[in-house]
Amino acid sequence: MTEQLQGGRVRGISIVKAVVIGNTSTYLGGKRETDGHTHTWTVYLKPFKSEDMSLYVKKVHFKLHDSYSQPMRIISRPPYKVSESGWGEFEIMVKVFFSGSRRETGYILPSPEALPQRDRDGEGQDSDIGAV
């Protein structure tokens, strides 16, 4: 049985939305002289189907390696993504906060060695890691 709650919410009803957490990376062709970085990369949360995620996603936290300036990146509107450059491998914690909910869903994006191997030239392809 369902029950109408304050603010239009309904108890006893679940809504399921498929989303994709993934990343892209591009090899810079060698070490950059200014910082030694070898790749640019982007980590993202996007809808599985083309839709406006802001209707159900309040914000997304991307927790980067502590060596980055401001390692906790909070994105409050689409596109939910972070782009940076770097030279190493690390895991990224992604937490999704849903509109109208106090709950959060967390996901750890594996470090690159856990991902399918790329060509030797390092050409980046979308690497959709998982659906939540």
Side-chain angles (χ1 to χ4, degrees), residues 1-5 8-16 103:
M1 177 145 183
T2 62
E3 175 187 347
Q4 186 75 32
L5 301 175
R9 295 178 57 192
V10 178
R11 178 175 289 151
I13 299 290
S14 294
I15 298 173
V16 177
R103 295 190 316 163

Side-chain angles (χ1 to χ4, degrees), residues 96-107:
V96 182
F97 294 80
F98 295 97
S99 300
S101 175
R102 293 187 188 121
R103 295 190 316 163
E104 62 191 56
T105 299
Y107 187 82

Side-chain angles (χ1 to χ4, degrees), residues 63-123:
K63 173 63 171 83
L64 310 180
H65 190 271
D66 288 337
S67 63
Y68 281 94
S69 172
Q70 300 175 323
M72 178 60 74
R73 308 290 175 91
I74 301 170
I75 310 299
S76 299
R77 59 182 175 266
Y80 302 104
K81 68 180 183 175
V82 172
S83 296
E84 274 287 355
S85 65
W87 56 266
E89 301 172 350
F90 61 95
E91 294 180 340
I92 297 175
M93 171 61 87
V94 179
K95 287 187 180 179
V96 182
F97 294 80
F98 295 97
S99 300
S101 175
R102 293 187 188 121
R103 295 190 316 163
E104 62 191 56
T105 299
Y107 187 82
I108 297 176
L109 185 65
S111 58
E113 70 266 9
L115 304 178
Q117 294 298 312
R118 296 175 185 260
D119 296 337
R120 286 183 151 270
D121 63 6
E123 283 300 311

